[in-house]
Amino acid sequence: MTRGDDRQVALVGAGQLPLLVEFPRPLDLQIASLESKSQEMAKECEVEKMDSGIPRQPRKPLHKVTKRAQATGRNLLDVPYGDGEAEKLDIYFPEAVSEALPFLVFFHGGYWQSGSKDSSAFMVSPLTAQGVAVVIVAYDIAPKGTLDQMVDQVTQSIVFVQKQYPGNQGIYLCGHSAGAHLAAMMLLANWTEHGVTPNLKGFFLVSGIYDLEPVMHTSENAPLLTTLEDAQRNSPQWRLKTAPTQPVDPACRILVTVGQHDSPEFHRQSREFYQTLRRGGWKASFEELHDVDHFEILWNLTQKDYVLTQVGRVPSPWTERVLP
């Protein structure tokens, strides 16, 4: 296991790939139920309950899955992608390495004010087994980080991956909840400002929030201090609807997903964002994932046969879903 210092940064420099190769509170009346689940996960409970109250099967806490991924040694940890204290990422590599790997970049959720890359590597095992490199990104959460800052940091992390691995076979962005919002904001990024256009091939947007104005009216806005201007500027739904943006790569695919037992607001936002994407000419698909809630989707990312962990298969069930 290696950690990002000056020596390791040189190790992952472009063309130097010895490669040891290192994705608010819910906005409706189900707030209490989802907040309870969030607290359970924060305490690493072994058993969850669905909204219906039916006990779920015991499971291993997600942080333990991350620890196993870190213990493999096929990774680079805490690699700086910027100058800020939180601007670090972890890169996990498959056993068979080359300079032309597909990369999945994951942004964690947590209502923009909790969560960590250090407990978010739960999809590493099924993806690296398919030859996909996985990048887990850290960013400054509120109250230290603002929404604008988070979006800028996510942008920087993608630029970093592209510059370090210019021969990649594609970069796929995945985010959950607030992380899906940050990933979706990359549809609006001005890459020319950064001197590189990343090889973005797909977006996996999992139970995301795409219209931030409703967040202003919840207690989750206290650490964010979001104004109406902030909310509109950082709402991919609002921006794509009011000023449609054409895809940089028309072949780039977007999969918008929501759990069957997610709250009605997550369902509304996911469906409306998908519809906005389709009207704007994006190659988007929508899927409601059966028998999972807002947090069970994360657990399913540890499974090798799950739709969201099959990006490395050609053809893959994900590819089939997003093709028109």
Side-chain angles (χ1 to χ4, degrees):
M1 188 180 305
T2 53
R3 293 193 176 270
D5 53 22
D6 291 341
R7 180 178 61 81
Q8 266 96 37
V9 172
L11 179 70
V12 298
Q16 303 178 37
L17 294 178
L19 288 180
L20 175 70
V21 26
E22 209 226 59
F23 264 216
R25 172 175 180 170
L27 309 175
D28 62 10
L29 296 179
Q30 297 190 30
I31 288 174
S33 175
L34 284 179
E35 283 187 335
S36 175
K37 288 175 182 288
S38 181
Q39 292 168 3
E40 290 173 8
M41 287 194 69
K43 295 177 182 177
E44 303 295 353
C45 286
E46 298 287 340
V47 179
E48 285 185 0
K49 293 184 178 181
M50 291 175 57
D51 291 339
S52 63
I54 301 173
R56 307 304 293 176
Q57 293 299 313
R59 64 208 49 217
K60 295 176 182 177
L62 294 177
H63 82 285
K64 292 185 178 180
V65 181
T66 296
K67 292 297 183 184
R68 286 203 301 270
Q70 293 174 338
T72 64
R74 297 192 308 274
N75 50 53
L76 295 172
L77 304 179
D78 295 327
V79 178
Y81 64 83
D83 297 328
E85 181 180 355
E87 294 172 356
K88 295 180 174 62
L89 51 80
D90 299 338
I91 313 177
Y92 298 86
F93 295 94
E95 289 188 17
V97 300
S98 73
E99 294 194 17
L101 291 169
F103 283 78
L104 182 132
V105 183
F106 182 79
F107 309 107
H108 68 79
Y111 310 141
W112 305 278
Q113 55 200 280
S114 64
S116 167
K117 73 173 178 60
D118 297 324
S119 58
S120 298
F122 28 80
M123 79 295 293
V124 164
S125 179
L127 285 174
T128 55
Q130 300 172 51
V132 179
V134 179
V135 180
I136 312 296
V137 177
Y139 54 90
D140 278 305
I141 57 178
K144 181 179 180 180
T146 64
L147 286 171
D148 289 317
Q149 183 178 1
M150 295 177 211
V151 171
D152 182 64
Q153 289 174 327
V154 165
T155 306
Q156 289 183 56
S157 71
I158 299 167
V159 169
F160 176 86
V161 172
Q162 179 63 40
K163 287 184 175 180
Q164 299 303 312
Y165 303 101
N168 68 77
Q169 287 188 341
I171 297 175
Y172 297 81
L173 306 186
C174 178
H176 171 253
S177 196
H181 157 261
L182 295 173
M185 284 296 291
M186 297 304 98
L187 297 169
L188 299 155
N190 184 351
W191 300 111
T192 59
E193 294 180 353
H194 301 276
V196 63
T197 300
N199 187 24
L200 296 177
K201 294 297 185 182
F203 288 70
F204 302 78
L205 305 179
V206 185
S207 294
I209 303 169
Y210 311 106
D211 175 9
L212 271 57
E213 186 173 347
V215 177
M216 296 172 52
H217 309 296
T218 73
S219 62
E220 296 303 330
N221 192 41
L224 292 170
L225 299 175
T226 304
T227 65
L228 178 60
E229 182 181 10
D230 294 332
Q232 292 178 341
R233 184 173 60 253
N234 289 289
S235 291
Q237 166 71 0
W238 186 86
R239 290 183 58 183
L240 287 174
K241 191 172 182 179
T242 56
T245 301
Q246 295 299 311
V248 174
D249 180 0
C252 183
R253 301 179 176 95
I254 305 169
L255 177 59
V256 182
T257 67
V258 66
Q260 177 184 352
H261 301 295
D262 256 315
S263 71
E265 181 66 13
F266 282 105
H267 277 264
R268 180 190 71 81
Q269 292 219 14
S270 296
R271 288 186 181 277
E272 289 186 2
F273 189 56
Y274 158 69
Q275 292 164 357
T276 297
L277 289 169
R278 293 291 289 185
R279 285 193 294 266
W282 298 82
K283 189 170 288 187
S285 182
F286 174 84
E287 183 159 347
E288 179 182 296
L289 300 176
H290 178 67
D291 198 30
V292 291
D293 64 18
H294 195 68
F295 298 107
E296 295 225 307
I297 290 178
L298 292 180
W299 172 253
N300 284 349
L301 288 174
T302 68
Q303 309 302 306
K304 65 180 181 180
D305 294 326
Y306 196 49
V307 60
L308 298 181
T309 55
Q310 297 184 51
V311 63
R313 300 187 182 182
V314 181
S316 73
W318 179 75
T319 301
E320 294 169 3
R321 280 169 168 81
V322 297
L323 285 174

